[in-house]
Amino acid sequence: MSNLIQPVVDGKITSNTATDSTVEKKETRGTTDLGYDAFLQLLIAEMQHQDPLEPTTNTEWISQMATFSQLEELQSLSKTTENSQIFSLVGQNVIISTEDASGNTTLKSGIVDFISMSGGTAKFSVNGSLYSLDQLYSVVDAEYLYNKNKPGIPTAVEFKFNGDEPQDFSFDVNLGVDTAKASNVAILVGNAIIDADYVSLNGNTVTVKQEILQELEVGTYRFSVVFDDPNLTTVEDKLTVHIYNSHPTVKNEETDEETTVE
């Protein structure tokens, strides 16, 4: 007898230990979804074993069929909605949650480059690997991601230059990461760019040689930094240089007069 044919008491399907065991084993090996064929077999079994004294009416049979049809449509709609959500991810920056064999969760980020369909189920590709919708952690706006990763100057710096004790002007920068990363910088004083021979980048430290500072008149200057990332990020409000005297002064021992070395 088919495992779908169950003992019936008072018009209701009951179960026995052997049958339950069989069903449980099947569930562990297969899907838990109730297909249309399985539903019809259950419906036939119910009709064959209904209580003759309280038979199920045609209206009740139709109601069961309608309920199952609605459930089937909802399942189909859910799958369609899920696939539509995945298709909308193409070109988006996403963060994915993955789990290794030890159960440790890792977050990965990347751009969705294409969608793969298999058995009616859609998966999205990031960096050559396929992921399902339940692995999607978040979708990140491209502009937000770029602004988060772009280069900059971590802290504001004020530098005082005294020609009597000349020093190079050094400060730290953040070169950014990923697609927003820079590899070099240019320094501007006002609208004038400093010759690259007088600017060096060592790791994350930029140095402007003192020879340039000696060319400036006494006063306060704003230095700007232009990074060579794709957006040419420019920072204009982090560096302030105070020039107290551009050139060292020397004292004439014979006349006690001080003169400025040009």
Side-chain angles (χ1 to χ4, degrees):
M1 179 180 294
S2 170
N3 289 328
L4 293 176
I5 306 303
Q6 304 289 337
V8 176
V9 177
D10 294 333
K12 296 181 180 180
I13 298 176
T14 61
S15 60
N16 56 51
T17 304
T19 304
D20 287 346
S21 176
T22 303
V23 172
E24 287 178 2
K25 290 180 181 178
K26 282 198 171 186
E27 288 180 347
T28 58
R29 292 196 305 267
T31 177
T32 57
D33 295 335
L34 179 62
Y36 196 76
D37 289 342
F39 173 78
L40 288 178
Q41 291 185 53
L42 285 172
L43 192 63
I44 293 171
E46 186 178 352
M47 293 174 67
Q48 291 175 339
H49 298 86
Q50 63 180 316
D51 185 355
L53 300 177
E54 295 181 4
T56 304
T57 66
N58 292 338
T59 302
E60 290 175 322
W61 296 126
I62 294 173
S63 176
Q64 289 188 45
M65 291 289 292
T67 300
F68 180 77
S69 297
Q70 289 175 351
L71 177 60
E72 198 172 37
E73 289 176 5
L74 286 174
Q75 290 175 336
S76 177
L77 179 61
S78 176
K79 178 63 69 176
T80 301
T81 302
E82 179 179 317
N83 289 346
S84 297
Q85 289 177 322
I86 290 181
F87 276 106
S88 68
L89 295 176
V90 175
Q92 297 288 329
N93 292 279
V94 298
I95 298 177
I96 308 144
S97 176
T98 61
E99 191 174 286
D100 60 22
S102 301
N104 300 317
T105 300
T106 303
L107 297 181
K108 300 179 181 179
S109 63
I111 298 177
V112 178
D113 43 22
F114 68 88
I115 305 300
S116 175
M117 291 291 297
S118 177
T121 300
K123 290 188 176 183
F124 59 93
S125 169
V126 176
N127 299 327
S129 299
L130 293 176
Y131 301 93
S132 58
L133 190 62
D134 59 0
Q135 292 177 284
L136 179 65
Y137 184 79
S138 65
V139 180
V140 185
D141 178 73
E143 184 176 356
Y144 165 81
L145 192 62
Y146 193 93
N147 288 333
K148 182 180 178 182
N149 294 334
K150 72 180 182 180
I153 300 176
T155 57
V157 178
E158 287 202 26
F159 180 74
K160 299 176 181 178
F161 181 80
N162 184 345
D164 288 329
E165 299 176 355
Q167 293 180 332
D168 293 340
F169 174 32
S170 296
F171 55 91
D172 291 333
V173 296
N174 168 24
L175 293 176
V177 295
D178 296 333
T179 58
K181 188 173 183 177
S183 59
N184 209 345
V185 299
I187 308 297
L188 283 77
V189 182
N191 294 323
I193 187 169
I194 297 177
D195 192 303
D197 292 338
Y198 296 94
V199 178
S200 63
L201 174 63
N202 183 14
N204 288 325
T205 301
V206 177
T207 299
V208 179
K209 293 183 178 179
Q210 58 183 279
E211 289 86 349
I212 289 298
L213 303 178
Q214 291 173 346
E215 297 295 326
L216 300 175
E217 298 294 333
V218 173
T220 298
Y221 298 85
R222 286 283 191 182
F223 279 39
S224 301
V225 179
V226 181
F227 297 88
D228 67 345
D229 61 293
N231 281 2
L232 294 178
T233 300
T234 302
V235 179
E236 300 176 336
D237 59 352
K238 292 287 189 178
L239 305 177
T240 304
V241 177
H242 303 282
I243 306 294
Y244 288 102
N245 62 301
S246 304
H247 308 284
T249 55
V250 295
K251 186 175 183 179
N252 189 318
E253 295 181 357
E254 295 180 358
T255 63
D256 285 339
E257 293 181 354
E258 292 184 347
T259 58
T260 301
V261 178
E262 299 293 338

